[in-house]
C-alpha cells in the first residue's frame, strides 16, 4: 500500500474516531466546559499517536524494522504537541483551583441573595387545593398503575421517571412523558413518536394519560438526531446545559422541555447558576432561547432543587470564609437532608429547613426558594428538624410500621406545622400526620386529611392556641337544592348544593357540632361558614 494512501486512511480513521467521540459525549464548545477541555486533550493525544505511527511506518519502509527514536530535536511536531498538552493540562488544573471556594469563598457566599420574611405574612392558612398530598414515589405508583390499565400501549411504552411537579391553573400536578419500552419498540414506533404523557393531580390523586394529536418526537429516550440532548447540542454547540432538563406542559397541555443553560460566575468552572433557558417543543423540536429573566410565566422549573440547596449551603457555610467552614465553623448553617415543594404566588418554591452544621436535632428556620426566579426567603422559625418530626409521627403508629414522607410546611392557626403522609411497606398512603414545628411532641394522626386537621386543631385548642385567621372562612346562605348523605371511610358526610352556587359543601358528621344538618331537607333555608377549597368545601360552622 502506498504511503499516501495509508496516511489518508489513518487521517480519515482519526477524524471518524473524533466525530464518534463528539457525537456520543456531546461536549459543549465552551472553555467553561470540562468536557471540552478533555475533548481537546484527547484530540491532541490522538494526533500524537497518529504521528508516531506514521514515523514508525517510515522507519519500517526504510530499514525493514522499527527504529523510531523519541528525540525531541528530531520530532519537533511531537515536542510541540506534548508542550501544548502539558500547557492545557496545567491551565485546566490552575483554572479549577482558582474557581474553587478555597480562594473565592466570599463570591460563593454572595451567589444567593437572602431576604428575611415573616412566616404568617407569607404562608397563609392551609388551602388543600394548593398542597401536594403525594410525594414523587406515590405519584410513580399511580402512574405505573394507570399505565398497566392501558392495554394498547403498555407493551410498547413505559412511564418515564421525570414526574416534574408544576402548577397548572393553580393546582399542583406532576407530569412525565412515556418512553419507548426497548430499542426494538423504538424502531417500530419512532415514526409516530411517543403518543402521550401522564398527568397526576397531587391533591385529588386523579391520574390521566393525556393523548396527543401528534406524538412527542424529541425526548430523552430517542436515539440519534432526535435524542433531546443531541438535538440541543447541534442547535446550541456552545451552551452548557444543566444536569437536569425538565418536562413541563403549558396551560394548554402542550408538552415542552425546559432546558437550563449553565452560567459560571467564578473563574472557569465555579459559581454555577443559570444564565439562559432553551424551551424545546417536545412534538416539533422547535427551540426558543430566553434570558433567564425573560422566561414565560407558566414555566415553573428553571433551577433544580439540588442546585438551589447547594447555593444556600454556600451562603450559609462561607459567611466567615472558607477555612472557618472547615475549622471553627462559627455561624455555619446548612440545609437539612431533604426538601419538598410549596405552591405560592403561582410558582413552585423549594422548601427546606436550615440547621447548624454540627447536625443537631433542631432547625433555626427554613427557606423558600423560587424555582423560576431563584428568589430566596428565609423564615426564622426555630423547632425540630424534618427528620425529628418524621420520627415523632412514626412513633405514633409504630405498631403499624408506617413510614413518613418528607413533610410539607403548613400554616395552621398561625402555627408552623409539618404535614406528612404515612405509608405502608407497599408505598400506599394509609394515614396523615401533623406535627408542630416548635413543639414536635404535639402530633395528630388521621385517616383522612380532614380528620387529621380536626385532631390537630383540637390539640392546639387544648394547649391554648386558637386560629385568629377569620379570612379562612366564608359565609354562605341560601336555599338547599340537594342534600345527599355519603359514607366515606366509615364516617357519614352530607353533600349540600345551594341554588345559584356552583360549589359543593361537605358537612362531616365526625364533628358533633354539625349534627344538626340531619334536620334539613331540599328547599330549606340554610346559613353556614365553610372553608373555600375549590369544588368540595368543608363546612366549619352551622347556624
Amino acid at each position: 500500500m502506498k504511503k499516501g494512501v495509508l496516511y489518508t486512511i489513518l487521517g480519515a480513521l482519526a477524524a471518524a474516531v473524533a466525530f464518534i467521540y463528539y457525537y456520543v459525549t456531546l461536549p459543549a464548545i465552551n472553555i467553561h466546559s470540562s468536557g471540552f477541555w478533555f475533548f481537546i486533550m484527547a484530540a491532541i493525544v490522538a494526533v500524537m499517536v497518529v504521528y508516531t505511527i506514521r514515523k514508525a511506518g517510515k522507519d519500517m519502509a526504510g530499514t525493514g524494522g522499527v527504529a523510531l527514536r523519541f528525540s525531541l530535536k528530531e520530532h519537533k511536531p511531537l515536542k510541540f504537541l506534548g508542550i501544548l498538552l502539558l500547557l492545557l493540562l496545567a491551565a485546566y488544573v490552575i483554572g479549577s483551583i482558582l474557581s474553587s471556594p478555597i480562594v473565592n469563598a466570599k463570591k460563593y457566599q454572595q451567589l444567593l441573595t437572602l431576604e428575611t420574611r415573616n412566616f404568617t405574612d407569607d404562608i397563609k392558612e392551609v388551602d388543600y387545593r394548593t398542597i401536594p398530598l403525594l410525594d414523587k414515589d406515590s405519584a410513580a405508583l399511580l402512574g405505573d398503575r394507570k399505565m398497566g390499565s392501558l392495554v394498547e400501549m403498555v407493551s410498547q411504552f413505559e412511564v418515564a421517571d421525570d414526574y416534574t411537579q408544576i402548577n397548572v391553573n393553580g393546582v399542583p400536578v406532576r407530569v412525565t412523558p412515556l418512553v419507548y419500552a426497548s430499542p426494538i419498540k423504538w424502531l417500530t414506533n419512532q415514526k409516530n413518536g411517543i403518543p402521550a404523557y401522564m398527568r397526576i393531580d397531587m391533591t385529588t390523586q386523579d391520574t390521566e394519560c393525556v393523548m396527543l394529536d401528534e406524538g412527542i418526537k424529541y425526548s430523552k429516550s430517542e436515539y440519534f438526531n432526535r435524542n433531546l440532548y443531541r438535538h440541543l447540542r447541534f442547535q446550541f454547540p456552545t451552551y452548557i446545559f444543566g444536569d437536569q432538563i425538565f418536562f413541563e406542559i403549558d396551560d394548554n397541555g402542550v408538552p415542552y422541555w425546559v432546558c437550563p443553560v449553565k452560567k459560571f460566575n467564578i473563574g472557569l468552572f465555579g459559581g454555577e447558576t443559570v444564565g439562559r433557558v432553551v424551551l424545546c417543543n417536545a412534538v416539533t423540536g422547535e427551540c426558543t432561547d430566553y434570558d433567564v429573566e425573560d422566561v414565560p410565566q407558566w414555566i415553573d422549573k428553571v433551577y433544580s432543587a439540588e442546585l438551589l440547596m447547594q447555593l444556600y449551603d454556600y451562603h450559609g457555610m462561607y459567611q466567615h470564609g472558607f477555612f472557618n467552614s472547615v475549622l471553627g465553623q462559627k455561624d455555619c448553617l446548612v440545609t437539612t437532608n431533604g426538601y419538598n415543594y410549596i405552591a405560592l404566588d403561582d410558582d413552585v418554591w423549594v422548601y427546606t429547613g436550615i440547621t447548624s452544621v454540627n447536625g443537631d436535632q433542631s432547625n433555626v428556620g427554613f427557606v423558600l426558594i423560587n424555582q423560576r426566579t431563584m428568589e430566596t426567603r428565609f423564615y426564622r422559625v426555630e423547632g425540630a428538624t424534618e427528620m425529628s418530626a418524621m420520627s415523632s409521627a412514626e412513633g405514633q403508629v409504630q405498631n403499624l410500621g408506617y413510614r413518613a414522607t418528607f413533610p410539607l410546611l403548613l400554616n395552621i392557626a398561625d402555627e408552623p406545622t409539618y404535614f406528612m403522609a404515612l405509608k405502608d411497606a407497599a408505598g400506599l398512603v394509609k394515614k396523615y400526620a401533623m406535627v408542630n414545628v416548635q413543639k414536635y411532641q404535639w402530633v395528630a394522626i388521621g385517616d383522612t386529611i380532614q380528620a387529621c386537621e380536626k385532631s390537630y386543631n383540637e390539640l392546639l385548642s387544648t394547649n391554648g392556641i386558637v386560629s385568629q385567621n377569620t379570612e379562612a372562612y366564608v359565609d354562605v346562605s341560601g336555599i338547599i337544592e340537594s342534600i345527599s348523605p355519603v359514607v366515606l371511610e366509615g364516617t357519614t358526610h352530607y353533600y349540600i348544593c345551594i341554588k345559584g352556587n356552583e360549589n359543593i359543601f361537605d358537612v362531616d358528621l365526625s364533628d358533633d357540632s354539625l349534627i344538626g344538618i340531619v334536620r334539613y331537607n331540599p328547599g330549606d333555608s340554610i346559613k353556614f361558614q365553610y372553608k373555600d377549597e375549590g369544588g368540595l368545601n368543608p363546612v366549619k360552622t352551622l347556624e
Side-chain angles (χ1 to χ4, degrees):
M1 183 181 292
K2 293 184 178 180
K3 291 190 291 184
V5 175
L6 177 62
Y7 299 153
T8 300
I9 292 174
L10 288 175
L13 182 61
V17 171
F19 174 76
I20 292 172
Y21 177 87
Y22 181 81
Y23 193 80
V24 172
T25 61
L26 301 172
I29 304 175
N30 190 312
I31 62 171
H32 296 289
S33 169
S34 297
F36 178 66
W37 285 77
F38 290 126
F39 176 72
I40 295 298
M41 287 188 279
I44 292 173
V45 171
V47 173
M48 292 174 71
V49 171
V50 171
Y51 176 84
T52 303
I53 294 173
R54 178 180 177 182
K55 296 298 291 183
K58 286 184 176 180
D59 286 348
M60 289 180 67
T63 65
V66 179
L68 184 64
R69 296 185 303 276
F70 287 92
S71 170
L72 294 179
K73 291 182 179 180
E74 294 182 18
H75 304 287
K76 290 183 178 179
L78 203 62
K79 175 183 177 180
F80 171 76
L81 290 172
I83 293 173
L84 179 60
L85 181 63
L86 290 175
L87 288 175
L88 287 173
L89 185 60
Y92 178 80
V93 172
I94 293 172
S96 298
I97 293 173
L98 295 179
S99 303
S100 71
I102 298 175
V103 294
N104 294 288
K106 184 175 181 181
K107 291 181 180 179
Y108 273 86
Q109 199 269 338
Q110 294 175 346
L111 287 172
L112 199 68
T113 302
L114 206 65
E115 180 184 6
T116 300
R117 306 275 289 244
N118 183 273
F119 173 78
T120 55
D121 290 343
D122 285 359
I123 312 299
K124 302 304 180 184
E125 286 210 27
V126 58
D127 180 353
Y128 291 110
R129 287 177 303 173
T130 62
I131 294 175
L133 305 179
L134 303 174
D135 60 2
K136 183 177 179 180
D137 291 340
S138 296
L141 285 175
L142 292 174
D144 290 342
R145 187 184 304 164
K146 183 67 175 181
M147 191 67 198
S149 68
L150 303 173
V151 180
E152 71 279 5
M153 290 197 300
V154 69
S155 64
Q156 303 297 309
F157 301 94
E158 297 174 349
V159 185
D161 62 357
D162 291 61
Y163 287 102
T164 309
Q165 182 162 316
I166 60 176
N167 284 342
V168 177
N169 299 320
V171 176
V173 302
R174 284 189 184 265
V175 289
T176 189
L178 304 185
V179 297
Y180 300 106
S182 69
I184 299 299
K185 305 298 173 60
W186 166 80
L187 190 63
T188 56
N189 290 284
Q190 60 90 25
K191 181 179 180 181
N192 296 321
I194 297 170
Y197 62 85
M198 288 290 177
R199 182 182 187 275
I200 302 173
D201 189 314
M202 300 299 285
T203 60
T204 65
Q205 305 186 31
D206 291 339
T207 305
E208 179 184 5
C209 184
V210 181
M211 302 301 297
L212 298 166
D213 294 333
E214 293 185 51
I216 294 174
K217 302 291 198 317
Y218 296 85
S219 71
K220 300 174 185 177
S221 65
E222 286 284 351
Y223 297 89
F224 304 111
N225 287 3
R226 271 178 25 189
N227 175 270
L228 177 63
Y229 297 101
R230 196 163 288 115
H231 177 68
L232 293 170
R233 173 57 63 235
F234 290 163
Q235 291 206 43
F236 304 94
T238 64
Y239 281 9
I240 306 173
F241 289 98
D243 300 326
Q244 295 185 43
I245 291 177
F246 307 107
F247 181 79
E248 290 201 32
I249 59 174
D250 66 11
D251 293 336
N252 297 317
V254 178
Y256 285 89
W257 295 102
V258 180
C259 314
V261 179
K262 293 182 180 181
K263 177 182 178 182
F264 296 91
N265 300 276
I266 303 170
L268 283 176
F269 311 114
E272 177 189 332
T273 56
V274 175
R276 307 193 66 79
V277 175
V278 173
L279 188 63
C280 177
N281 187 303
V283 175
T284 66
E286 180 183 356
C287 293
T288 308
D289 185 12
Y290 294 97
D291 185 271
V292 69
E293 298 177 352
D294 299 327
V295 296
Q297 179 74 31
W298 64 264
I299 291 178
D300 290 314
K301 304 196 80 163
V302 171
Y303 296 86
S304 70
E306 292 78 8
L307 175 59
L308 294 175
M309 292 176 68
Q310 179 65 74
L311 290 173
Y312 181 84
D313 286 344
Y314 290 148
H315 181 88
M317 287 289 292
Y318 300 142
Q319 296 187 57
H320 301 299
F322 176 81
F323 292 103
N324 175 72
S325 71
V326 176
L327 301 174
Q329 298 186 327
K330 178 183 177 182
D331 299 329
C332 288
L333 301 173
V334 292
T335 54
T336 51
N337 186 26
Y339 61 87
N340 215 323
Y341 301 104
I342 291 178
L344 187 66
D345 303 330
D346 198 30
D347 279 324
V348 175
W349 297 66
V350 174
Y351 150 77
T352 186
I354 303 301
T355 188
S356 167
V357 73
N358 295 321
D360 55 24
Q361 296 300 305
S362 62
N363 283 350
V364 299
F366 66 92
V367 290
L368 295 181
I369 312 178
N370 190 307
Q371 285 199 280
R372 183 173 58 86
T373 66
M374 205 172 74
E375 178 186 352
T376 305
R377 301 175 180 179
F378 174 74
Y379 301 89
R380 187 171 295 280
V381 179
E382 297 180 358
T385 64
E386 295 89 345
M387 294 301 173
S388 298
M390 291 164 66
S391 297
S392 184
E394 289 169 356
Q396 295 288 321
V397 290
Q398 57 184 335
N399 59 311
L400 300 173
Y402 295 161
R403 309 300 296 177
T405 60
F406 193 85
L408 286 165
L409 189 73
L410 305 181
N411 177 355
I412 298 182
D414 289 340
E415 285 288 306
T417 302
Y418 289 130
F419 171 76
M420 64 203 81
L422 296 169
K423 301 196 292 186
D424 63 13
L428 301 176
V429 175
K430 295 298 185 181
K431 292 181 181 290
Y432 299 94
M434 292 182 178
V435 181
N436 190 274
V437 171
Q438 295 171 311
K439 296 181 176 60
Y440 70 103
Q441 68 273 21
W442 295 359
V443 182
I445 305 290
D447 292 330
T448 65
I449 301 164
Q450 290 77 11
C452 183
E453 182 186 18
K454 178 185 176 184
S455 178
Y456 185 71
N457 279 320
E458 290 174 351
L459 184 63
L460 294 180
S461 179
T462 300
N463 288 275
I465 299 173
V466 180
S467 174
Q468 302 298 318
N469 186 7
T470 57
E471 296 179 359
Y473 306 112
V474 181
D475 291 322
V476 67
S477 60
I479 304 299
I480 297 177
E481 185 174 17
S482 65
I483 180 168
S484 305
V486 178
V487 177
L488 299 177
E489 299 181 355
T491 302
T492 301
H493 295 246
Y494 276 80
Y495 287 171
I496 301 174
C497 293
I498 303 295
K499 288 184 179 179
N501 194 316
E502 295 182 353
N503 289 314
I504 300 174
F505 304 99
D506 176 15
V507 181
D508 183 356
L509 292 193
S510 64
D511 185 346
D512 294 338
S513 67
L514 301 177
I515 194 67
I517 193 64
V518 299
R519 297 190 177 95
Y520 287 83
N521 294 296
D524 292 345
S525 296
I526 192 170
K527 184 177 181 181
F528 53 83
Q529 284 188 325
Y530 71 97
K531 194 166 189 179
D532 186 2
E533 293 186 0
L536 187 61
N537 305 289
V539 173
K540 294 299 180 181
T541 61
L542 188 64
E543 297 183 13

